[in-house]
């Protein structure tokens, strides 16, 4: 939905199972203006190029090519939000998909409610990303000033280490999106490999201790097991 | 070459005849001949004889010529006497020259013969190399090598033993397989030979068998050595270790019941050949290994494909069922909510069965990383939040103490913890809260889930971790939801062990159960470890 509450944009469903396409189409009907379907990966790529959808729902078990290849190909020239449907529970696979350019994934069997919520979040983020970035970002009761490099809870300033600041900044600039461990490490340490990657999760835990009300029930930085983390913008 | 092919008696006769003819011809014209002409012509005969018939014939001809010249061609004729001293000189010079020339020719001939044999050996080696490389099956190549070795050494049989059994055999008479086969069978059946073979393979030393079958162990590593000469003197079999790339791969046994005859040159050659046999065995082994690995890969691929296909094919209809039921439930039909719940349950059971089969096959990859225990506990709470239904999960976080950090697989550990919390919810009264503790314990970190349920009777404390275990008297307060496949704790314990951890049960003081997951602790350097929070 755009800011005026009108449905617009095209959604593309790529799945070889007609029943799944039907379920997904049903779930998307309230969110998008037009929905098109493809049964194979190559057809999906062609439609993505021709119709320029703003959302692509991609199944991994396609008959003609691996879904990750479709994802990689489409991501080369499209800014569409790509939500992957995965039947497998392998988290390394999910991380690979996100690294290949997917925005989100939903594991089968999924509930329509959960699926719609994820799609909505991804569409909203795609819109937010097009707006110019702001200096001050409010995350619940946290206020982050990107220019002054400060974080406050109410009036109380929070002291972050440089790594924690970079982590939080990376999360905020891509709010709502699952960032893989590798993507986070690249963004914070500026290189793809190294020992500190091991301790990324410890830095996140420590950041939570500073910004979450209850670090064991985080509301801002959520864990995506085996994949990475995601910053949830309340509201 | 034509002369050389004449048999020994043949060349003697031939040269005797030639000598007679030459003498008769010369005698008829002896008055017109000069001494030099005569000696030159006889010299040609001597050289010809020695070239074709060898040194002995050459020397014999030289002596005969000496006498013939003296008798028929030097004055006084027909007498073994010489009247002029100069004639003596001619005769003696002839004899010396003929002898020396014969000797030189003999030596050159011997060298040519050696060169020919060497060329033959090289031909055989080349043939062997070609056999080794071109035979389709490695076993065929080894059999071909055994055959070439037998032909080269002239032994009656040649066997290649690998691990105590004859793997390839070259036997003398292809048409007489019965006898050869009998020999080979006898050799294999004879325990003394088996022992000798084992000794040779173990010590990497050659051995022989006397004509009566007594084994003789030697200190020789190869076929050509002084240590072997004595042992070979009267022997019916020679056993050589086959070593390829520093590894003993088998034993070569050359045998001839009538006695084995091997000259040193043959034995040197045997060393080269036996290396081929060793390489042949290695090739057989590599081929078998490759075949085995290929079969394993294929089985693995099939298993993965099957698991992936089962998991994909089962989840696709479940997705449809769940989504449609969800829509119906939104329309106000309570029965649809049951359908959705049961679809979820089915999905969990499928996942459990798949995981158990993977764990049994050792096919579950473990990705250990440095993780904070509170991240794990937080993720578990997040995951069970939907199933809490108002139940209280009590946690405590000691912010002043060092953060418990472990080196473990986050996803597997999360699975364990969620299972423990779900069990606690299932098997304890709804009013009682569930407690989760975490603490560092030196080399390990511990995360405990404690409930106020009925606990586990002492007899069943280990059985609860077995697959398909169902508690005998364990009635869950929420009977309808307790019916799992009995796999949760079995999977949980195996997952804990797979990452170097443990999962144990203890009674809780004051009633209830405590399940404790222990995982390896991670040591962070002061620089890496984030500081404790002080704000």
């Amino acid at each position: 939905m755009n800011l005026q509450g009108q449905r617009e944009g095209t959604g593309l469903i790529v799945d070889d199972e007609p029943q799944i396409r039907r379920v997904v189409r049903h779930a998307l009907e309230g969110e998008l203006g037009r929905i098109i379907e493809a049964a194979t990966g190559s057809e999906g790529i062609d439609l993505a190029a021709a119709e320029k959808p703003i959302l692509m729902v991609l199944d991994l078990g396609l008959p003609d090519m691996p879904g990750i290849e479709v994802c990689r190909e489409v991501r080369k020239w499209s800014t569409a939000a790509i939500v992957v449907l995965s039947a497998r529970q392998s988290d390394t696979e999910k991380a690979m998909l996100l690294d290949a350019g997917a925005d989100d994934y939903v594991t089968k069997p999924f509930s329509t409610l959960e699926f719609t919520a994820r799609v909505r979040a991804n569409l909203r983020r795609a819109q937010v990303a097009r707006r110019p970035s702001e200096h001050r970002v409010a995350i619940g009761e946290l206020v982050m000033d990107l220019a002054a490099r400060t974080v406050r809870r109410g009036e109380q300033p929070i002291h972050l280490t440089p790594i924690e600041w970079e982590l939080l900044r990376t999360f905020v600039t891509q709010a709502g999106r699952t960032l893989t461990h590798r993507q986070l490490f690249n963004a914070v340490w500026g290189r793809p490999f190294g020992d500190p990657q091991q301790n990324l999760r410890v830095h996140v835990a420590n950041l939570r201790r500073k910004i979450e009300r209850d670090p064991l029930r985080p509301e801002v930085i959520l864990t995506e097991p085996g994949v990475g983390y995601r910053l949830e913008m309340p509201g | 070459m034509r002369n050389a092919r004449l048999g020994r008696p043949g060349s003697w006769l031939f040269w005797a005849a030639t000598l007679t003819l030459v003498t008769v011809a010369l005698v008829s014209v002896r008055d017109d001949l000069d001494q030099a002409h005569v000696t030159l012509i006889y010299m040609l005969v001597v050289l010809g004889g020695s070239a074709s018939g060898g040194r002995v014939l050459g020397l014999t001809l030289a002596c005969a010529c000496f006498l013939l010249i003296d008798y028929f061609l030097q004055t006084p004729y027909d007498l073994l006497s010489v009247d002029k001293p100069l004639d003596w000189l001619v005769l003696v010079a002839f004899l010396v020259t003929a002898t020396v020339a014969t000797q030189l020719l003999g030596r050159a001939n011997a060298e040519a013969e050696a060169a020919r044999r060497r060329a033959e050996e090289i031909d055989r080696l080349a043939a062997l190399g070609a056999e080794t490389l071109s035979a389709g099956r490695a076993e065929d190549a080894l059999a071909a090598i055994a055959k070439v070795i037998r032909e080269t050494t002239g032994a009656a049989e040649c066997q290649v033993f690998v691990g105590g059994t004859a793997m390839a055999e070259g036997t003398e008479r292809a048409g007489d397989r019965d006898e050869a086969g009998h020999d080979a069978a006898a050799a294999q059946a004879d325990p003394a030979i088996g022992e000798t073979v084992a000794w040779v393979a173990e010590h990497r030393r050659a051995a022989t068998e006397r004509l009566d079958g007594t084994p003789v162990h030697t200190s020789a590593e190869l076929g050509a050595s002084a240590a072997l000469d004595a042992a070979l003197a009267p022997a019916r079999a020679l056993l050589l270790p086959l070593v390829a790339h520093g590894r003993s791969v088998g034993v070569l046994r050359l045998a001839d019941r009538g006695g084995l005859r091997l000259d040193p040159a043959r034995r040197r050659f045997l060393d080269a050949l036996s290396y081929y046999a060793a390489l042949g065995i290695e090739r057989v082994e590599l081929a078998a290994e490759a075949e085995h690995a290929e079969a394993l890969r294929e089985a693995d691929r099939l298993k993965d494909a099957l698991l992936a296909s089962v998991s994909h094919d089962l989840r696709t209809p479940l997705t449809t069922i769940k989504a449609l039921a969800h829509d119906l439930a939104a329309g106000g039909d309570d029965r649809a909510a049951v359908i959705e719940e049961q679809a979820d349950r089915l999905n969990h059971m499928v996942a459990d069965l798949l995981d158990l089969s993977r764990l049994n096959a050792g096919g579950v990859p473990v990705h250990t990383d440095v993780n904070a225990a509170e991240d794990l506990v937080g993720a578990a709470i997040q995951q069970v939040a939907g199933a809490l239904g108002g139940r209280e999960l009590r946690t405590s976080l000691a912010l002043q103490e060092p953060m418990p950090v472990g080196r473990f697989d986050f996803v597997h550990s999360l699975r364990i913890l969620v299972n423990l919390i779900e069990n606690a919810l299932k098997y304890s009264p709804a009013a009682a809260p569930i407690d989760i503790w975490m603490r560092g314990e030196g080399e390990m970190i511990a995360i405990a889930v404690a409930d106020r349920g009925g606990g586990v009777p002492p007899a069943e404390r280990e059985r609860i971790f077995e697959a398909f275990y169902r508690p005998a008297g364990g009635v869950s307060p929420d009977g309808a939801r307790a019916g799992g496949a009995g796999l949760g704790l079995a999977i949980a314990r195996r997952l804990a062990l797979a990452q170097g951890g443990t999962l144990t049960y203890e009674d809780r003081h004051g009633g209830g159960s405590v399940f404790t997951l222990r995982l390896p602790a991670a040591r962070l350097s002061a620089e890496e470890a984030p500081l404790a929070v002080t704000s």
Side-chain angles (χ1 to χ4, degrees):
Chain A
M1 265 182 268
N2 69 3
L3 296 174
Q4 284 76 45
Q6 286 170 330
R7 299 175 210 156
E8 57 176 34
T10 303
L12 168 62
I13 307 167
V14 187
D15 197 320
D16 58 321
E17 303 275 347
Q19 297 91 341
I20 299 283
R21 289 207 300 271
R22 200 176 127 211
V23 166
V24 172
R25 170 184 279 274
H26 186 65
L28 290 180
E29 260 161 6
E31 313 296 324
L32 292 156
R34 193 165 73 102
I35 291 154
I36 51 176
E37 298 176 11
T40 64
S42 48
E43 195 187 333
I45 293 173
D46 291 346
L47 276 178
E51 304 285 341
K52 304 205 168 19
I54 58 166
L55 171 77
M56 182 167 172
V57 178
L58 176 65
D59 185 78
L60 281 190
L62 293 172
D64 59 333
M65 60 197 288
I68 192 162
E69 292 302 325
V70 180
C71 188
R72 232 173 241 139
E73 177 62 28
V74 170
R75 187 44 88 222
K76 282 182 195 161
W77 34 260
S78 168
T79 55
I82 301 178
V83 176
V84 171
L85 301 180
S86 163
R88 291 158 213 167
Q89 286 187 317
S90 155
D91 301 283
T92 24
E93 193 177 59
K94 288 172 189 164
M96 266 168 61
L97 280 167
L98 295 180
D99 285 337
D103 293 87
D104 209 346
Y105 61 83
V106 180
T107 308
K108 290 180 188 173
F110 49 83
S111 79
T112 322
L113 205 64
E114 179 202 357
F115 177 69
T116 321
R118 299 289 269 275
V119 165
R120 209 175 280 153
N122 278 287
L123 287 175
R124 191 175 58 211
R125 194 176 61 245
Q127 281 184 338
V128 169
R130 286 187 214 110
R131 275 188 263 147
S133 61
E134 298 161 22
H135 283 316
R136 288 164 66 86
V137 185
I139 316 153
E141 52 187 19
L142 289 177
V143 178
M144 200 174 170
D145 189 326
L146 291 172
R149 294 177 73 94
T150 59
V151 190
R152 284 179 292 116
R153 175 183 282 123
E155 290 307 309
Q156 179 85 35
I158 299 175
H159 301 287
L160 298 183
T161 66
I163 283 175
E164 288 159 3
W165 169 265
E166 274 306 309
L167 269 174
L168 186 58
R169 200 186 61 81
T170 308
F171 280 125
V172 165
T173 49
Q174 305 197 57
R177 173 165 190 184
T178 300
L179 298 170
T180 63
H181 295 121
R182 176 171 298 179
Q183 286 168 340
L184 280 169
F185 183 79
N186 283 354
V188 175
W189 278 269
R191 55 196 159 97
F193 296 103
D195 272 348
Q197 187 173 11
Q198 298 261 313
N199 297 341
L200 168 71
R201 303 134 198 249
V202 181
H203 287 287
V204 170
N206 220 44
L207 175 61
R208 274 183 181 148
R209 282 186 168 199
K210 294 180 182 178
I211 64 170
E212 300 279 3
R213 271 183 302 206
D214 180 353
L216 291 177
R217 290 172 179 78
E219 293 165 322
V220 180
I221 299 171
L222 304 186
T223 300
E224 292 286 345
V227 180
Y229 297 96
R230 178 163 54 91
L231 181 129
E232 193 83 330
M233 278 291 197
Chain B
M1 282 304 283
R2 198 150 38 83
N3 283 345
R5 269 193 231 122
L6 287 172
R8 195 160 258 266
S11 65
W12 281 77
L13 278 176
F14 176 82
W15 287 106
T18 309
L19 194 58
T20 314
L21 282 176
V22 165
T23 309
V24 169
L26 287 175
V27 167
S28 65
V29 292
R30 61 185 171 189
D31 292 330
D32 306 329
L33 284 176
D34 188 66
Q35 288 276 8
H37 300 142
V38 170
T39 49
L40 273 177
I41 289 167
Y42 275 106
M43 186 63 77
L44 283 176
V45 174
V46 171
L47 288 178
S50 108
S52 69
R55 200 176 303 181
V56 181
L57 177 58
L59 290 176
T60 312
L61 282 173
C63 294
C65 290
F66 176 86
L67 292 175
L68 288 169
I69 293 170
D70 187 6
Y71 193 80
F72 290 113
L73 298 166
Q74 280 185 333
T75 50
Y77 296 136
D78 306 331
L79 268 177
L80 280 178
S81 71
V82 177
D83 53 1
K84 284 178 276 182
L86 211 60
D87 286 354
W88 273 113
L89 185 66
V90 169
L91 269 179
V92 171
F94 170 81
L95 193 59
V96 170
T97 312
T99 308
V100 169
T102 302
Q103 291 285 3
L104 287 176
L105 253 179
R107 195 179 300 167
N109 265 344
E111 274 167 19
E113 174 63 16
R116 195 184 54 76
R117 278 177 61 175
R118 202 142 299 153
E120 235 170 56
E121 288 173 359
I122 288 169
D123 279 350
R124 280 196 192 282
L125 275 178
L128 200 56
E131 292 277 10
T132 324
L133 292 174
S134 66
R137 287 171 58 244
E139 286 83 354
D140 294 346
L142 198 55
I145 293 168
K147 184 163 162 275
V148 172
I149 292 178
R150 190 192 59 70
E151 285 171 2
T152 310
T153 54
E157 40 176 305
C158 167
Q159 292 162 296
V160 179
F161 287 87
V162 178
T165 54
M167 199 163 172
E169 288 171 21
T171 40
E172 191 168 23
R173 290 162 294 267
D176 197 4
R177 282 189 183 280
D178 279 353
E179 192 187 338
H182 173 77
D183 271 9
Q188 232 171 314
D190 188 342
I193 294 178
E195 276 172 33
T196 317
V197 166
W199 182 89
V200 169
E202 190 191 337
H203 294 86
R204 292 204 207 167
R205 297 268 188 273
T208 61
E209 289 166 23
R210 290 199 196 289
L211 289 173
D212 60 1
T214 324
V216 181
H217 298 167
T218 77
S219 62
E221 287 185 30
L222 293 169
S225 91
L228 205 53
D229 289 346
L232 258 179
R236 70 165 192 193
L238 167 65
L239 293 94
L240 291 177
L242 296 176
V243 177
H245 300 117
R247 200 166 58 87
S248 168
V249 293
V251 174
L252 178 78
R253 180 174 180 270
L254 275 178
D256 202 323
R257 276 181 300 173
L260 202 58
R261 277 172 299 273
L262 290 172
D263 57 38
R266 286 271 182 240
R267 274 157 45 199
R268 254 199 317 278
F269 188 44
L270 187 58
D271 287 342
L273 290 176
S274 63
Y275 187 60
Y276 267 105
L279 290 180
I281 294 172
E282 205 173 44
R283 187 182 153 195
V284 170
E285 288 176 350
L286 288 177
E289 264 171 42
E291 221 166 81
H292 185 60
E294 184 50 44
L296 277 184
R297 260 199 301 279
E298 180 63 11
D300 226 32
R301 203 187 56 74
L302 273 177
K303 194 190 77 210
D304 284 353
L306 183 71
L307 287 177
S309 137
V310 165
S311 99
H312 179 266
D313 293 354
L314 279 172
R315 287 205 175 105
T316 300
L318 278 176
T319 305
T320 318
I321 292 170
K322 196 172 139 99
L324 294 178
H326 184 83
D327 290 352
L328 286 178
D333 192 336
D334 289 346
R335 290 172 300 174
V338 178
I339 295 177
E340 196 181 348
E341 199 180 284
Q342 294 301 310
D344 279 341
R345 213 181 118 196
L346 197 55
N347 182 40
H348 276 129
M349 283 162 72
V350 168
D352 280 358
L353 277 171
L354 286 174
D355 282 343
L356 190 71
S357 70
R358 279 191 201 131
L359 278 165
N360 282 342
V364 172
V366 175
H367 305 285
T368 58
D369 276 303
V370 174
N371 284 295
E374 56 198 62
D375 194 0
L376 180 66
V377 172
I381 293 172
Q382 189 180 315
Q383 199 153 322
V384 299
L388 278 180
R391 301 277 299 270
E392 193 190 349
L393 268 186
R394 286 196 308 210
T395 53
S396 64
L397 191 58
L399 290 178
Q400 281 69 39
E401 286 177 21
M403 182 186 288
V405 174
R407 191 177 289 279
F408 55 86
D409 184 307
F410 193 89
V411 177
H412 291 337
S413 303
L414 177 62
R415 179 105 194 270
I416 300 169
L417 205 53
V418 166
N419 182 267
L420 295 181
I421 299 173
E422 283 175 350
N423 277 349
L425 289 171
K426 240 185 267 179
Y427 296 107
S428 69
I434 288 155
D435 291 288
I436 302 176
W437 306 307
M438 56 189 145
R439 58 179 181 268
E441 290 183 344
E443 293 300 307
M444 304 295 267
I445 58 166
I447 302 164
V449 177
D451 64 42
R452 289 289 179 197
V456 178
E460 307 208 343
R461 275 177 199 167
E462 277 307 305
R463 286 194 52 216
I464 52 173
F465 294 107
E466 288 168 14
F468 302 107
Y469 167 82
R470 309 295 281 275
V475 181
S476 104
D478 181 3
R481 284 171 55 192
L487 294 176
L489 282 177
I491 292 173
R493 174 168 267 186
R494 284 175 207 211
L495 285 176
L497 292 174
Q499 42 187 327
T502 58
L503 178 60
T504 51
Y505 168 86
E506 294 128 55
D507 279 335
R508 188 177 185 183
H509 188 69
S513 315
V514 184
F515 284 91
T516 309
L517 169 66
R518 287 186 175 81
L519 295 164
R523 297 252 164 273
L524 299 183
S525 69
E527 186 194 345
E528 288 169 325
L531 300 167
V533 186
T534 50
S535 68

